[in-house]
Amino acid sequence: MKVLAKGRPQKGWSREYTCTGSGNGGGGCGAKLLVEFSDLYMTYSSCMGESETHVTFRCMECAVQTDISYSGPDYHSIRGSRR
């Protein structure tokens, strides 16, 4: 994971995200991060018999986890290939 530097072009599979703590109680530091595919992992939650799967990254600045949407085709290979 890399903290974004203004004007630096990125290559390969990566996306910009903000550390929000979404899905994990909030508390993110607001850092803008360049998150690469290898930084993502699956997390799971359950409540009253219902379970959900999330794609998550951990901020390198504050260590808070943030869940992201994984409806796009780039994220399909995470399921089953990560913890």
Side-chain angles (χ1 to χ4, degrees):
M1 184 180 308
K2 299 176 185 176
V3 176
L4 294 177
K6 183 177 178 181
R8 180 176 174 208
Q10 300 299 319
K11 296 180 182 179
W13 194 107
S14 59
R15 299 282 184 273
E16 294 180 26
Y17 291 103
T18 300
C19 172
T20 63
S22 175
N24 296 283
C29 68
K32 292 185 185 250
L33 305 167
L34 180 67
V35 179
E36 298 174 353
F37 180 79
S38 61
D39 297 319
L40 302 174
Y41 52 92
M42 303 301 287
T43 56
Y44 308 92
S45 62
S46 61
C47 181
M48 298 180 68
E50 299 289 323
S51 63
E52 294 184 21
T53 302
H54 311 279
V55 175
T56 307
F57 68 87
R58 182 179 303 273
C59 178
M60 65 181 293
E61 293 289 308
C62 69
V64 168
Q65 295 183 100
T66 297
D67 294 345
I68 60 172
S69 171
Y70 64 102
S71 58
D74 291 337
Y75 304 102
H76 290 291
S77 60
I78 296 172
R79 190 180 287 273
S81 67
R82 311 254 186 214
R83 294 186 340 170

